[in-house]
Structure formats: structure tokens, C-alpha cells
Amino acid sequence: MKAGVGRLALVAGLALAQGCAHAPSVPPETLARLAETPRGYLAGPVMGLGGDTSVLNNQDFIWALDFAPEGGRVAYSRLGLKAYNLSVWSLTPEPRLMTDPDINAQQWDVEGVAFSPDGARVAAVSRDGSVRVFDAASGQVQGVFTTEEPLVSVAFHPSGRWLALGSAQGLVSVVSVPGLTFATELRAHTGPVSALAFALDGTLYTGGWDKHLRAFRASEQRARADHARTRFARQGGFAVVQGSLQGKAPVALALDARAPAVLLTTAAAGAAGINVAALTDSLSVPGALGTTVARVAHGQSLRFKSLAVDGVDVAICDACVPQGLQGVLGAPFTDRVEVSFDEAAGEALLSLKGGAPSDASAVATLVLEPRSDFSYEGHVNDVTVDARGARLGVAFSEEKAERSRTVYERERKNIEEPRGPWNAGAMVDAATGQVLRKWERHHGVVSTAAISPDGRALASGGWDKRVYLFAEGEDAPRGERAFGWSVRRVRFSPDGQWLGVAAWTPQKATGNQESDPSAVLTGVRYVAPIVERREPPVAAQ
């Protein structure tokens, strides 16, 4: 399928609900001031949606969408014919597709994308447990980090040096950028971490299906790197943990103190960058069928989240590794690392015997400290932050936003979901968690909500195929759009000029395969906009 269809005229399914479609979005003199103001954005009462509209895609399911804070770019994840793709567009002077790389195979949904603060990188998280970071201009993969749980949300810290990753099982992990090394983690929710959003002061907001919205203070600190907690499983009589060799691809490793060496398969060694054919030293490894002569790679580094075990000699031996695994952590490893098990949590605690050496006793990490915990009557599906960090845009639903057979049957029969007090988009005070205004316009699940940069308008989207634009102090929407299927994401551009929408579309396998718009940018109109300036992004404190 094509990645998009370029700049199109307005189509019937995107007709304005109210207001004049031809009214200018922003006066030229205001646009000039905006262009001259670094980190500037439009502020003031919204009039509606209109002006220019660009349809970037009308063929694919679009899952997630994000604007670059700098650089005039937008990116979205789409379900293509053979894989999920990351489509990155330049917005100036006209929307133009820059790159469209594959992310991963079709069976793993890609529900979160995020730009780095400078717009140079895009991160995409997948239910295969991995985050992939791409060069926004070329589409080249700059790094991959694999966690132990399916990932559904992602956000860059405003310094650009850290990525927060939200899992489908409530875990928030932090990795460094650009190295993509593990920094820290915490169990923030009891269900999926449906949303992650950093304010410019570094505060991290997390939303979950446990009906909680939580805030964490993020600070860069030095932490000891002599222990790690990691998931383990019982397989073939062994405890199996996941680690990585040389910071490369993850490997599943069996703990077996009886093995005389740390062992690795040929394929895993190759993935870690070891040229097995060039190795000259060897080691005899006894096994059930006799002794195997294995080539040895000296001085390798094993990593388990924050714990690094350096200077490890690894023997390459396919016959010595249990089927389905990539390696064995033998006596040379267990002599250096104490291993204990938390059976209730399903985690293994790995600790260096004698603690970390003096030259590696502390490493830089981003520490998340709980600040606030707000509970609501609805499930939290999406969270966004305004430019001042004062207000949040939050999407709520009375039922979990799960695509079940029951949901599909209702859609097939055109049964309208009910409205309800917690099927709503809301403005929320970031400091207190108080719901300042809640709009109950949608039928059924409200999947997404975006607050405007000035905090005075809210856009919401839902499974009722609708996008609404609301203004503070008003009940009726200022703008409305209809789509062909479920709306997945709405986002304001950082300067407030555009509203981006990601939606599914009824796919067509014949003809030119064009269907209803699914990735759309539409102008935001203001009554009398002024230009304000957001503070520079913070360094991690």
C-alpha cells in the first residue's frame, strides 16, 4: 500500500460541523510573529476547525501520531501489507513524505510513537516488547531495546536524553538515549500504561486502565549498578533470564552453575557482533554425548538491565545450549553473581558478589519519584500536557478500550454505544488532579484527548468515529469531524496551528485501494490569536 495520498481537497466525510470552511485559520501578521518566535505557539479562544486540510493517508489503519516539538514534522504508525511502518512527513512548505521504514511484523501492534525534542529522532514501541529509535530524516534504525513486557506507550524526556516506555502490564521503564541502555523501572499501574506525557519541567504523567493518573518527579542521579531485578521463567529444568551481550540483541540464558563456561549459540554470537570464524582460542566443554571443542571469545560484556558483568569469556557451542535458548550462564558467571528468586513476582535478583567495582559503582540514571496519585471513575486512555505544564487533556471511558468481538459485532450492526458521564474528554488541573471541565459528547469509548498548547481548548476522538474541538467555558463543540472508523489519536501541533488525527479506515483490497481518510492534518481557527512562548526544555535535574 502507499504510505499516503498527499495534499487533497476536503472530502465529504470531513465536512465542517459548524463555521465557515473558508475562513482563514490565522491572520498573516500573526503567522509572521509566530515564525519569528522560537518555541512560539498560538493562544486564545478557538473558533473551530477549518482552513487548510491535508490527508496524508486514506488506505491504512493508523495507530499513533505525534508532532515533532521542533523541525516541522509529523509521524504516524500504520499497518501496511506486510509490516507496520513508520511514516515521517515534513510539513514545510507543503506536507511531504520523508521516509517510511518497516517497524516490525504485522502481528505486533505499534500503539505509540514519539519525537525527540529536537525532532531528529522518532521512537516507536511495539507489543513485541521492543522500542525502536529511527533517524527522522532517513528512516535508519539507530537502536533497539527489548523489554520483558509488551509496550503500548512512549515519551521522550524534554532533555532528549531519556525515553519512558509504558507496558501493557503496568511497568514504566526508562532507557538512555542514544545508547538505549536500561536506566530504571517502576510498576506504575496495575494494568496497561495507556499514556505517558512529560511536561517541560520534567514531570512525568502516566495514565492507566486502573482508573489512575499519576505524576512522577524525574531527576537525573548517580545510582549503583551492582544489582538488577529481571523476569525469569522455568524451562526444561532451568531458570531462564533475559540479558544482552555487548549491548546487542537480547538473549534467553539458562542459569546452570554446573556448566564449566558461559556458553552461547553461533547465531546469538553473530547477533552480538562476534566473528566466530576468526576466533583462535578454544575450550573443551563436556556434555551428555561427549566433549565438544568450542571456540572462545574473550572479554565480553553481559548486561541485565542496569547490571553489567564485564570481562566475560564466552564459549560458542550450539550442542551445549538447551533447545530454544541462546546461551547458558555457567560457573564463571555464578562465581561472580549471586542469584536469588522472588517466586511471587516471577523475578530473579542478580547481585555482584562484593558489590560493584570502584570505577563502576555509580552510573547516570533518571530516577522517578511519586508526586501525585489521582483516581477517577473512568479508565484513563490518553493524557497530554499544555505548554505551561498547568493543564492536562485526558480521555476517559466507562469500559476498557479493548477491541473485543462484542465491540466489532456492535459496529457491524451499527449499534450506537451509549453516552455516559465517563465517556468523556476532560481538562484536568495538573497540580491537583481536579477535573476542570468534562465533555460527554462521544458515544462509547473516548480513546484520545489533546489539550491545546495554551491549555484553553481540548480535542477528543473516539470509537464513535468522531473528533470534537471544545473551548473552555462552552458546552457545545466548536468543531467536529466524521471518520470512516475508530479514531485512535488526536494531537495539536506544538505551535497550535494544526490538529493531527490518526484513525482506522475501512480498507479496500481492489482498485486504487483508497478509502476514508485515516491520517489527517486540519487547521485550527482562532477568534483573535496571540503568540506566546514556551520555556526552553529542561535538562534532567
Side-chain angles (χ1 to χ4, degrees):
M1 290 185 182
K2 300 176 183 177
V5 296
R7 194 173 185 85
L8 300 179
L10 287 173
V11 294
L14 292 174
L16 272 173
Q18 55 182 315
C20 176
H22 302 289
S25 295
V26 182
E29 60 273 15
T30 306
L31 283 178
R33 285 197 300 273
L34 183 64
E36 296 168 355
T37 305
R39 298 179 297 277
Y41 60 89
L42 300 173
V46 294
M47 180 187 302
L49 298 172
D52 292 338
T53 294
S54 294
V55 178
L56 307 184
N57 189 295
N58 65 354
Q59 296 177 345
D60 303 310
F61 287 1
I62 309 299
W63 285 77
L65 177 145
D66 191 39
F67 286 94
E70 302 286 346
R73 294 169 177 172
V74 67
Y76 55 80
S77 60
R78 68 179 184 92
L79 179 58
L81 276 176
K82 298 181 180 179
Y84 273 90
N85 292 76
L86 178 69
S87 299
V88 183
W89 291 69
S90 171
L91 300 181
T92 55
E94 297 285 334
R96 173 181 59 87
L97 182 64
M98 298 173 61
T99 185
D100 188 51
D102 289 358
I103 301 174
N104 54 240
Q106 283 188 328
Q107 63 262 40
W108 305 111
D109 294 341
V110 179
E111 300 179 37
V113 299
F115 270 100
S116 60
D118 61 3
R121 297 185 173 98
V122 189
V125 293
S126 167
R127 282 188 175 264
D128 71 357
S130 298
V131 58
R132 296 168 175 85
V133 176
F134 297 83
D135 181 278
S138 69
Q140 182 178 356
V141 178
Q142 296 183 333
V144 180
F145 180 85
T146 301
T147 68
E148 298 170 336
E149 300 179 7
L151 296 178
V152 295
S153 55
V154 60
F156 268 94
H157 184 273
S159 70
R161 296 202 298 267
W162 309 96
L163 263 176
L165 316 172
S167 89
Q169 298 169 11
L171 189 69
V172 173
S173 303
V174 178
V175 297
S176 66
V177 179
L180 296 188
T181 57
F182 177 88
T184 189
E185 66 183 13
L186 58 84
R187 191 70 58 179
H189 296 274
T190 57
V193 183
S194 53
L196 293 169
F198 277 104
L200 284 180
D201 67 357
T203 302
L204 176 64
Y205 296 92
T206 71
W209 285 3
D210 57 3
K211 302 183 179 181
H212 283 261
L213 192 160
R214 295 186 167 98
F216 298 87
R217 300 182 185 90
S219 60
E220 190 171 290
Q221 300 179 15
R222 306 289 292 181
R224 296 184 65 186
D226 59 358
H227 68 280
R229 294 182 71 94
T230 184
R231 289 290 187 94
F232 81 94
R234 302 288 183 185
Q235 182 175 337
F238 299 100
V240 178
V241 297
Q242 180 174 286
S244 64
L245 186 69
Q246 301 297 96
K248 304 288 185 179
V251 286
L253 305 166
L255 288 159
D256 186 1
R258 301 167 300 177
V262 174
L263 306 167
L264 208 64
T265 64
T266 303
I274 298 174
N275 185 353
V276 178
L279 300 176
T280 57
D281 292 347
S282 61
L283 174 70
S284 295
V285 182
L289 301 179
T291 300
T292 301
V293 177
R295 297 188 180 187
V296 177
H298 296 288
Q300 303 298 302
S301 176
L302 287 166
R303 177 174 284 275
F304 305 88
K305 294 187 175 178
S306 57
L307 173 64
V309 184
D310 298 320
V312 178
D313 293 341
V314 176
I316 316 302
C317 178
D318 292 328
C320 309
V321 177
Q323 188 173 5
L325 302 178
Q326 285 79 53
V328 175
L329 299 172
F333 177 83
T334 56
D335 287 346
R336 295 175 60 183
V337 179
E338 185 75 32
V339 183
S340 58
F341 298 97
D342 183 342
E343 297 285 352
E347 294 180 329
L349 177 61
L350 310 179
S351 303
L352 287 178
K353 295 179 179 179
S358 57
D359 61 349
S361 59
V363 295
T365 188
L366 191 72
V367 175
L368 301 178
E369 299 174 324
R371 191 205 75 180
S372 308
D373 183 0
F374 310 126
S375 62
Y376 304 94
E377 295 181 44
H379 302 90
V380 179
N381 297 321
D382 196 13
V383 178
T384 53
V385 190
D386 71 8
R388 296 177 296 121
R391 288 183 174 181
L392 309 175
V394 183
F396 293 106
S397 63
E398 296 185 353
E399 295 185 3
K400 293 180 180 178
E402 295 177 311
R403 302 296 300 183
S404 64
R405 179 175 292 275
T406 300
V407 171
Y408 281 109
E409 283 298 314
R410 289 173 182 166
E411 291 178 342
R412 186 178 66 83
K413 298 175 182 178
N414 292 318
I415 298 175
E416 192 171 60
E417 296 283 344
R419 286 175 173 166
W422 289 97
N423 287 332
M427 286 182 179
V428 173
D429 184 273
T432 66
Q434 177 186 358
V435 176
L436 303 174
R437 189 62 187 260
K438 183 156 58 74
W439 289 275
E440 302 156 18
R441 187 81 175 191
H442 289 278
H443 291 266
V445 167
V446 180
S447 53
T448 180
I451 197 160
S452 60
D454 69 349
R456 300 177 63 178
L458 184 88
S460 63
W463 290 2
D464 59 359
K465 310 175 187 179
R466 293 292 189 274
V467 168
Y468 295 104
L469 176 66
F470 300 100
E472 64 174 350
E474 298 184 14
D475 294 327
R478 278 290 191 166
E480 179 180 348
R481 292 287 188 273
F483 285 80
W485 204 355
S486 299
V487 176
R488 309 299 300 187
R489 190 79 82 236
V490 292
R491 290 291 185 265
F492 281 92
S493 62
D495 61 9
Q497 284 195 78
W498 296 93
L499 185 71
V501 182
W504 287 0
T505 188
Q507 292 180 311
K508 296 182 179 179
T510 59
N512 60 14
Q513 300 176 347
E514 293 183 0
S515 182
D516 293 308
S518 52
V520 176
L521 305 179
T522 187
V524 180
R525 296 185 294 127
Y526 294 81
V527 176
I530 62 172
V531 176
E532 295 185 354
R533 185 174 183 268
R534 71 185 72 220
E535 294 300 318
V538 302
Q541 299 298 314

